[in-house]
């Protein structure tokens, strides 16, 4: 089936602005917003994914945080910030710094106001509602942090949803080519496909699905296996009929069907 892929969207303008909007709003809940440390907590992955498999996740998270902070600075917000990784499991080493260890270190450094931002999460779930809101909040208070806040996940935030819709439209064949002049250089387009092939794959006038297999194909194919299976079942049925009607055959010779004699 004709398809296209959006490999990532962490750098899109709509997503960055949506995150900045939520952070700016939550900062207003602190008595001294300018002194609050913005604490980005991203979901971790095993270190081998990045160093051995070449996963760009770490680099994308770091760039994502930088872009969000640049947007906040344009709004006159120059808060200190840091990035750490949560949710590690198992004995292997994961991306560092770890969220829990970073919270303890911030407490030792005298940080009193901390705003947690679930940077790689777009919806609320156990790793935000339990891990961040309960476990990390308790750890922060135990570490000497007096004022704790947490930015909600994006969910259906209008700017974010609208930007995702734009990303889909821009990735469609030809549409993306026409919109390229309106995109920033870092928002690279995916390879364009064929409109004709795309329409053929989603033909709304088609009244029935194509047959699952062709009439016949030689070799070790799904078609050959299907027809071989049918031929085998037919042969077994014929042999059983002969056994029952004539009283002769392999099953009688082996004594399996003696009662038909």
């Amino acid at each position: 089936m004709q398809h296209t892929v959006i490999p990532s969207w962490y750098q899109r303008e709509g997503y960055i602005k949506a995150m900045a909007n939520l952070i700016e709003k939550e900062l207003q809940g602190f008595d001294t917003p300018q002194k609050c440390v913005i604490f980005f907590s991203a979901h971790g992955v095993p270190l081998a994914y990045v160093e051995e498999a070449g996963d760009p996740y770490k680099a994308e998270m770091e760039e994502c945080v930088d872009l969000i902070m640049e947007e906040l600075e344009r709004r006159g917000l120059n808060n200190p910030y840091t990035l750490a990784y949560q949710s590690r499991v198992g004995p292997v080493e994961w991306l560092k710094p770890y969220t829990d260890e970073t919270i303890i270190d911030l407490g030792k450094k005298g940080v009193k106001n901390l705003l947690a931002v679930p940077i790689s999460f777009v919806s609320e779930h156990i790793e935000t509602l339990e891990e961040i809101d309960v476990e990390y909040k308790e750890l922060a208070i135990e570490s000497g942090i007096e004022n704790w806040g947490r930015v909600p996940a994006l969910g259906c935030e209008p700017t974010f949803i609208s930007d995702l819709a734009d990303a889909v439209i821009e990735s469609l064949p030809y549409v993306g080519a026409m919109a390229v002049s309106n995109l920033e250089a870092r928002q690279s387009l995916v390879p364009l496909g064929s409109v004709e092939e795309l329409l053929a794959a989603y033909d709304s006038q088609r009244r029935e699905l194509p047959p699952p297999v062709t009439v016949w194909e030689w070799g070790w194919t799904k078609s050959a296996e299907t027809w071989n299976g049918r031929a085998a079942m037919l042969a077994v049925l014929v042999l059983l009929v002969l056994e029952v009607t004539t009283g002769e055959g392999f099953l009688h010779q082996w004594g399996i069907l003696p009662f038909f004699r």
Side-chain angles (χ1 to χ4, degrees):
M1 180 177 289
Q2 183 75 22
H3 70 281
T4 187
V5 175
I6 303 174
S8 60
W9 36 265
Y10 69 93
Q11 78 285 51
R12 292 188 60 84
E13 182 178 359
Y15 168 69
I16 297 301
K17 287 185 175 180
M19 289 297 301
N21 290 341
L22 294 177
I23 294 173
E24 184 177 16
K25 180 180 179 181
E26 292 300 319
L27 282 174
Q28 302 310 312
F30 289 84
D31 294 334
T32 54
Q34 68 278 7
K35 295 182 180 180
C36 182
V37 174
I38 300 176
F39 183 63
F40 294 95
S41 184
H43 197 293
V45 296
L47 187 61
Y49 286 14
V50 175
E51 294 188 346
E52 298 178 17
D55 193 321
Y57 178 71
K58 181 176 184 292
E60 291 181 350
M61 281 296 95
E62 292 173 352
E63 183 181 357
C64 181
V65 169
D66 289 341
L67 292 172
I68 293 174
M69 292 309 302
E70 288 175 6
E71 175 63 25
L72 290 174
E73 289 173 4
R74 284 192 286 270
R75 304 181 185 190
L77 302 174
N78 296 284
N79 294 65
Y81 67 97
T82 188
L83 168 65
Y85 299 90
Q86 67 178 80
S87 307
R88 72 183 188 277
V89 295
V92 300
E93 184 177 0
W94 283 44
L95 288 180
K96 291 183 177 181
Y98 299 139
T99 293
D100 51 358
E101 295 179 356
T102 302
I103 290 176
I104 296 174
D105 290 340
L106 291 174
K108 292 179 179 179
K109 293 177 180 178
V111 172
K112 299 301 180 183
N113 302 282
L114 193 66
L115 177 62
V117 182
I119 186 59
S120 61
F121 307 103
V122 296
S123 63
E124 302 291 0
H125 56 298
I126 190 171
E127 288 165 327
T128 59
L129 301 174
E130 168 64 25
E131 194 170 2
I132 295 180
D133 287 353
V134 178
E135 297 176 19
Y136 291 148
K137 180 180 180 180
E138 292 179 355
L139 179 61
I141 295 174
E142 293 172 358
S143 301
I145 296 171
E146 299 174 356
N147 302 305
W148 168 275
R150 205 265 282 180
V151 171
L154 286 163
C156 294
E157 201 278 339
T159 304
F160 170 58
I161 296 300
S162 177
D163 191 53
L164 286 185
D166 289 342
V168 172
I169 293 173
E170 291 163 8
S171 71
L172 294 177
Y174 301 132
V175 177
M178 291 185 291
V180 67
S181 59
N182 298 325
L183 299 175
E184 295 185 21
R186 62 172 178 259
Q187 296 179 356
S188 59
L189 290 171
V190 297
L192 299 180
S194 165
V195 170
E196 289 75 21
E197 292 178 0
L198 189 64
L199 292 177
Y202 294 95
D203 183 7
S204 61
Q205 299 303 316
R206 181 178 294 162
R207 293 292 179 261
E208 60 181 1
L209 293 174
V213 295
T214 56
V215 177
W216 178 256
E217 291 179 355
W218 291 100
W220 294 101
T221 64
K222 184 176 181 180
S223 173
E225 292 179 7
T226 300
W227 285 102
N228 289 339
R230 292 172 181 172
M233 288 188 289
L234 180 61
V236 170
L237 181 61
V238 171
L239 289 175
L240 287 176
V241 172
L242 291 175
E243 290 274 358
V244 173
T245 57
T246 65
E248 297 179 358
F250 291 110
L251 298 181
H252 284 82
Q253 293 177 4
W254 295 340
I256 299 177
L257 293 176
F259 48 87
F260 280 103
R261 291 182 177 178

